[in-house]
Amino acid sequence: MARPTHRLRLPIRAAVAVAAVLLTACSADPAPHSADVAAAGGPARSVTPAHLSLTLPADPVRLALPATGAETRWTQGLDVFVQQVSRAATASCAAERGAAVPRQVPLAFIRFFEIPDLDFIARHGTSESAAVPTPTPDTSAARPADPAVLRECGAEGKSAASALRDLYAPLQQRWFTELVSLRHDPATVKALRALPTCLAGHGIRVRDENGFFALADARMQTAAPSQLPRESRELGRAYATCMRPVEAVREPARERLRTQFLKAHAREIRVLRRTLVPALRHAETRYDVRLAFPAP
């Protein structure tokens, strides 16, 4: 089994890089078969599989401007959907010219650790998530797309993605920038001071949260494939347990901050609520891509 790509802390996509909001890539690779784990001397249990949900939030704001860990599942799905639309538009353009685009790296849901989804992490570990649905490829094309077609059709794909992303990305960038201010919130800083002691009780000796991510990344990169589910599960449970006191302080603070943010950007929020979901539904129909979200 191939080792999953696992980067625990990385910048959010370029559109909001200025915010330096931290994410983790969730591997969509399947867990090893239990027999393989048992043969390696590890536990036969694997990480609990995640599922997909098609249910949208009652308020579209939660899709783009998450304040809780659970809400980030919608944001993950939104980001993947826009990428899928881009790929579908590119492939459709090429197919109209009798050509096929090269196979691409499968998409994965990207988990936010600036807004940690502790229930999901406790259940599925640090790296397991739902698999992104893979559209059925069009096999009617007779030849690979040449560079000119790829450039032209790639531009169509980017345009299709931009038509959706432009509806929410400017506001989202501002929101993620606002979130950075909570890193210096006195109550949050105080709660985080207890994190190393709690983690030490789980056999994880680090100085702070960044130290945990560095250690977790090293473990996931060096563990034998058969041991990855156990490592992910143990790390996830320890992190979720020890971060709950932090989130008990930080989550209400984020919700209060979002309330202020919505008032400060009332006009843009009204437009977002009116336009985002209809645009997503239209894109679903046009590009034959389904909007879906990771779910416990």
Side-chain angles (χ1 to χ4, degrees):
M1 176 186 144
R3 186 184 306 277
T5 300
H6 194 88
R7 291 175 59 85
L8 278 166
R9 301 276 273 195
L10 58 151
I12 200 162
R13 64 173 179 271
V16 290
V18 67
V21 177
L22 304 176
L23 315 178
T24 182
C26 300
S27 169
D29 292 353
H33 190 281
S34 58
D36 297 333
V37 178
R45 293 181 302 150
S46 64
V47 176
T48 305
H51 304 287
L52 289 170
S53 169
L54 303 178
T55 304
L56 284 166
D59 186 352
V61 161
R62 297 182 181 183
L63 274 167
L65 313 178
T68 71
E71 288 175 350
T72 65
R73 300 170 205 162
W74 284 312
T75 311
Q76 293 173 53
L78 175 62
D79 185 66
V80 163
F81 179 75
V82 172
Q83 295 179 70
Q84 288 178 312
V85 164
S86 179
R87 292 186 177 191
T90 300
S92 176
C93 169
E96 290 173 359
R97 292 154 176 76
V101 297
R103 293 187 64 180
Q104 296 175 285
V105 175
L107 296 172
F109 293 113
I110 304 299
R111 198 179 299 174
F112 292 61
F113 270 76
E114 190 80 7
I115 314 175
D117 187 355
L118 299 184
D119 290 340
F120 199 97
I121 295 167
R123 183 172 176 81
H124 303 295
T126 57
S127 59
E128 184 71 16
S129 188
V132 174
T134 304
T136 303
D138 185 350
T139 58
S140 61
R143 58 182 175 79
D146 60 40
V149 169
L150 286 177
R151 285 194 298 272
E152 182 180 349
C153 293
E156 285 200 19
K158 290 179 181 178
S159 178
S162 294
L164 295 175
R165 193 173 285 123
D166 288 350
L167 297 174
Y168 66 88
L171 267 177
Q172 189 181 71
Q173 178 175 348
R174 291 178 221 166
W175 170 236
F176 287 147
T177 302
E178 289 285 333
L179 285 179
V180 174
S181 66
L182 293 181
R183 296 180 188 173
H184 307 292
D185 174 66
T188 298
V189 172
K190 180 179 179 181
L192 280 169
R193 290 196 190 109
L195 182 64
T197 301
C198 179
L199 289 172
H202 294 265
I204 300 172
R205 301 191 180 279
V206 294
R207 295 181 60 181
D208 53 23
E209 189 181 10
N210 284 336
F212 169 83
F213 287 123
L215 176 65
D217 193 32
R219 284 192 184 182
M220 296 300 290
Q221 292 290 350
T222 59
S226 60
Q227 297 300 313
L228 286 171
R230 183 175 65 180
E231 288 284 359
S232 177
R233 182 174 58 247
E234 291 179 352
L235 289 165
R237 288 176 180 172
Y239 179 81
T241 296
C242 293
M243 282 296 291
R244 288 197 188 279
V246 179
E247 281 300 283
V249 171
R250 198 162 55 178
E251 188 170 288
R254 284 195 299 264
E255 291 180 318
R256 290 191 297 270
L257 189 63
R258 184 170 64 183
T259 297
Q260 298 168 9
F261 184 86
L262 298 185
K263 291 179 180 177
H265 300 86
R267 185 183 64 81
E268 297 99 317
I269 294 298
R270 285 195 298 271
V271 174
L272 178 72
R273 285 174 168 152
R274 186 178 70 250
T275 61
L276 182 57
V277 172
L280 296 174
R281 293 307 191 200
H282 175 73
E284 280 186 313
T285 301
R286 179 174 181 182
Y287 298 107
D288 195 24
V289 177
R290 198 67 185 269
L291 179 61
F293 315 98

